Amino acid sequence: MKNNLRELRKSHQLTQEKLSELTGVSRQTIISIETGRFDPSIKLAYKLAKVFDLAIEDLFLFEEDM
């Protein structure tokens, strides 16, 4: 699943470490989401969206397999 987490994080002047603290996950988890190696749970997606005051759909772009 694609996302614009890295761009949002940088535009809000947040480090990966600070974002991990705000969402209760490890910095490695944030890195894995940003690089697309890990899709977050719905609970974590909600926490991330809440940090940026966005809907989950504005943060994560779901693409169905063709």
Side-chain angles (χ1 to χ4, degrees), residues 37-52:
R37 290 181 299 189
F38 175 74
D39 290 334
S41 67
I42 191 71
K43 186 176 181 179
L44 178 52
Y46 176 79
K47 287 180 180 180
L48 288 165
K50 190 174 177 182
V51 167
F52 300 106

Side-chain angles (χ1 to χ4, degrees), residues 20-31:
S20 71
E21 291 170 8
L22 291 171
T23 55
V25 297
S26 70
R27 182 175 156 269
Q28 282 303 119
T29 298
I30 300 298
I31 292 168

Side-chain angles (χ1 to χ4, degrees), residues 12-26:
H12 283 79
Q13 299 178 340
L14 291 172
T15 63
Q16 291 170 335
E17 185 68 32
K18 184 61 179 175
L19 184 56
S20 71
E21 291 170 8
L22 291 171
T23 55
V25 297
S26 70

